[in-house]
Amino acid sequence: MAALVPAHLKAKGKVVIATDASYAPMEFKDAQGRIVGVDVDLGEAVADRLGLDAEFKDAKFDGIIGRVQAGKYDLAMSDFAATQERQKAVDMVTYFTSGSAVAVRSGNPDRLDAALLCGVRVAVQAGSIQAEDVKNTRNPKCRAEGKPPIPGDGDKFDLQTQVAAALLAGRVSAMIADNVAVNYAVKASGQIEQLGGSYNVSPSAIVIPKGDGKLAQAVQRAVQALIDDGTYGRILDKWDLESNAVTTSVVNGATS
């Protein structure tokens, strides 16, 4: 694995990993301001297998992929769903699985149906697959059924913490987010509940500059080694996310 690491990374001895530190429990800041979470633990373990240190940098989610393309960051780990559209821009190494979920304030005061949010103000994180879902799937379906769309293709926020805060404050009636983030918000706030089940479950992936095939291969092998020797399972168990585990890591394995 280490033999596949590009010379410029070997020379600096570390890999700089971009993440949006507002997406607990995947990545967030602790009381001391340090970035912690599932992706941090996994990223550090991957880097160690490659003979490198890991340095995590907080960044706006919707700008991360572009900055990886531009070379500002070496990798990105921020629970990015592996999609065919994203794989046109970057290489993606799968390492986790998650889906989307709808959440409302406890008791569902607006009596919403997770499948029918037409005309409802919904909060999403900018650049997320949930924002794409509202624009490209939910609203076209609303219009086709003669119903009002979700206003503005959703109320978009830079940070996932802002999404949850908007729901808690009553600025929106629902939020759509990664099911892991929804589950965390439910537990942390005590004032939010998930509405319905998870949907569009798919692999999450580490983002790597397109065409840097050896690095993608090295990262995939490192992830697979962590899965095979049990390190991966122990990390997910620490964060109570065993059900989101994968058994095989692949490069560019998106199916949708």
Side-chain angles (χ1 to χ4, degrees):
M1 287 177 275
L4 293 170
V5 175
H8 72 280
L9 293 183
K10 288 182 179 179
K12 67 180 180 180
K14 68 179 180 180
V15 59
V16 179
I17 305 174
T19 195
D20 168 19
S22 74
Y23 218 76
M26 300 306 293
E27 43 271 325
F28 60 102
K29 292 183 179 179
D30 66 11
Q32 289 73 45
R34 297 172 301 189
I35 301 174
V36 297
V38 185
D39 280 337
V40 176
D41 289 351
L42 288 172
E44 289 176 346
V46 167
D48 183 66
R49 289 302 176 98
L50 300 180
L52 302 169
D53 292 328
E55 180 182 348
F56 278 82
K57 295 284 191 179
D58 192 10
K60 282 180 57 177
F61 183 83
D62 63 351
I64 288 177
I65 287 181
R67 291 185 178 185
V68 170
Q69 288 179 286
K72 182 174 178 61
Y73 305 116
D74 302 313
L75 306 174
M77 293 182 70
S78 203
D79 198 17
F80 280 96
T83 68
Q84 292 178 339
E85 186 64 27
R86 284 173 173 168
Q87 285 175 184
K88 294 176 183 178
V90 291
D91 288 327
M92 306 193 83
V93 174
T94 60
Y95 72 104
F96 193 71
T97 186
S98 58
S100 296
V102 176
V104 295
R105 292 186 295 282
S106 295
N108 191 13
D110 295 316
R111 300 294 182 263
L112 301 180
D113 181 332
L116 299 172
L117 296 175
C118 301
V120 175
R121 288 194 65 180
V122 177
V124 292
Q125 186 174 29
S128 67
I129 60 170
Q130 290 80 27
E132 294 174 7
D133 173 50
V134 170
K135 180 180 178 180
N136 300 326
T137 302
R138 287 180 177 267
N139 272 353
K141 184 177 180 180
C142 289
R143 294 186 181 99
E145 295 180 0
K147 299 173 182 176
I150 294 170
D153 287 331
D155 286 33
K156 302 173 188 67
F157 296 88
D158 289 335
L159 305 177
Q160 180 58 37
T161 48
Q162 295 170 334
V163 172
L167 176 60
L168 286 168
R171 294 169 57 191
V172 297
S173 296
M175 77 177 199
I176 308 176
D178 185 284
N179 58 0
V180 175
V182 167
N183 184 56
Y184 186 88
V186 168
K187 292 178 179 178
S189 72
Q191 301 176 59
I192 292 175
E193 66 179 60
Q194 183 170 326
L195 189 63
S198 300
Y199 64 98
N200 290 347
V201 176
S202 63
S204 297
I206 300 169
V207 174
I208 299 168
K210 194 72 178 176
D212 201 345
K214 286 188 176 181
L215 180 57
Q217 188 179 1
V219 171
Q220 182 276 326
R221 290 186 182 183
V223 172
Q224 191 62 53
L226 295 172
I227 293 171
D228 293 342
D229 73 6
T231 302
Y232 172 83
R234 288 189 292 273
I235 290 172
L236 294 195
D237 181 65
K238 169 186 172 181
W239 295 97
D240 194 24
L241 292 173
E242 306 94 318
S243 62
N244 297 82
V246 298
T247 57
T248 304
S249 173
V250 299
V251 179
N252 295 336
T255 57
S256 61

